[in-house]
């Protein structure tokens, strides 16, 4: 499948999810506030499909196809399956799947960013540890920001993304209320570490390995 076909299929799936959320809202399956949040998040997910193209147009950066496909996969399991189709509520460990996959995507993006920041520097002559450490740190920071996002959604929409209450609505207290958030951060760290190990093995004996992750600047090309 070509890049364009994959994107078209993803948009179609997003529209199906949006139609489902609108149907739920019309039939009052959830509270008005929750229903609106589901619709808005689905719309945001559809818009985010075009993020790689917006980055190219606005920031003049080309994101490698392997990172884009990985990013789109995460959109499917997080926004469309997780939120719109409510898998995050149906399957208890779905949130942990997201926190395992997202740092892998972000670690790969971290490799691309450090490659961009190096400008004309030769990647084969650069220590792979620069990429491995930066990617790991970048994914860890983004994992913290994700917890901020879940906290905001819980505060505004009472979505219980951080599992601060039971399915029956009983609020958890003390250490029990922290378990989900800390578990997410731990899973995020493991995901970034797994991606780092995978990349480290791939780079062994291949000095130019991280070149495939490198974000390319159109501004540099035009000079």
């Amino acid at each position: 499948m070509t890049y364009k076909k994959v994107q078209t299929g993803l948009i179609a799936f997003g529209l199906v999810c949006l139609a489902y959320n609108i149907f739920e809202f019309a039939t009052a399956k959830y509270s008005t506030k929750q229903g609106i949040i589901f619709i808005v998040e689905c719309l945001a997910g559809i818009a985010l499909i075009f993020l790689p193209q917006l980055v190219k147009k606005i920031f003049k950066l080309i994101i490698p196809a392997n990172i884009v496909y990985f990013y789109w996969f995460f959109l499917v399991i997080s926004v469309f399956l997780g939120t719109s189709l409510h898998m995050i509520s149906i399957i208890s460990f779905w949130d942990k799947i997201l926190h395992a996959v997202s740092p892998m995507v972000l670690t790969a993006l971290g490799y691309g960013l450090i490659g961009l920041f190096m400008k004309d520097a030769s990647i084969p002559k650069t220590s792979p540890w620069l990429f491995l450490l930066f990617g790991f740190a970048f994914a860890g920071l983004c994992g913290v920001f994700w917890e901020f996002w879940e906290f905001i959604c819980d505060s505004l929409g009472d979505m219980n993304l951080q599992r601060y209450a039971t399915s029956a609505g009983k609020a958890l207290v003390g250490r029990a209320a922290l378990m989900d958030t800390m578990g997410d951060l731990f899973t995020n760290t493991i995901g970034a570490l797994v991606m780092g190990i995978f990349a480290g093995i791939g780079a062994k004996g291949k000095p130019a390995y991280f070149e495939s992750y490198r974000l390319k600047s159109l501004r540099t090309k035009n000079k």
Side-chain angles (χ1 to χ4, degrees), residues 8-211:
T8 301
L10 185 54
I11 293 170
F13 181 64
L15 291 174
V16 170
C17 293
L18 178 61
Y20 177 70
N21 289 148
I22 293 174
F23 170 77
E24 287 183 321
F25 180 76
T27 56
K29 183 174 180 180
Y30 295 95
S31 68
T32 300
K33 182 185 288 187
Q34 283 184 310
I36 291 174
I37 287 176
F38 290 144
I39 291 173
V40 170
E41 286 206 10
C42 190
L43 285 170
I46 294 173
L48 286 171
I49 294 172
F50 300 95
L51 183 60
Q53 284 136 300
L54 289 174
V55 169
K56 181 179 179 180
K57 185 174 183 179
I58 298 173
F59 298 102
K60 306 301 180 184
L61 292 176
I62 299 176
I63 302 175
N66 57 343
I67 297 180
V68 174
Y69 289 143
F70 209 173
Y71 163 71
W72 281 346
F73 172 71
F74 179 71
L75 270 185
V76 169
I77 64 174
S78 60
V79 178
F80 300 131
L81 292 179
T83 301
S84 295
L85 300 184
H86 316 307
M87 288 297 177
I88 199 167
S89 298
I90 297 171
I91 301 177
S92 60
F93 57 85
W94 193 266
D95 188 50
K96 294 299 180 287
I97 294 176
L98 301 182
H99 283 280
V101 174
S102 63
M104 296 180 185
V105 181
L106 293 166
T107 301
L109 180 59
Y111 300 155
L113 286 171
I114 195 66
L116 174 68
F117 297 153
M118 289 171 62
K119 297 184 178 180
D120 297 327
S122 174
I123 285 181
K125 295 180 180 179
T126 304
S127 171
W129 284 106
L130 177 64
F131 292 89
L132 295 174
L133 291 175
F134 182 85
F136 182 79
F138 181 74
L141 178 62
C142 290
V144 173
F145 286 152
W146 181 264
E147 288 303 316
F148 291 164
W149 168 251
E150 287 192 346
F151 177 78
I152 292 171
C153 288
D154 287 347
S155 299
L156 298 178
D158 194 26
M159 297 173 70
N160 196 28
L161 296 179
Q162 292 188 305
R163 297 295 184 270
Y164 57 84
T166 64
S167 56
K170 182 181 179 181
L172 300 173
V173 295
R175 186 178 178 84
L178 295 173
M179 291 302 291
D180 181 76
T181 298
M182 296 310 299
D184 287 348
L185 292 174
F186 180 76
T187 305
N188 184 85
T189 302
I190 294 298
L193 183 61
V194 168
M195 183 63 186
I197 293 173
F198 173 81
I201 293 174
K204 193 173 183 180
K206 299 177 182 178
Y209 174 80
F210 288 103
E211 189 67 51

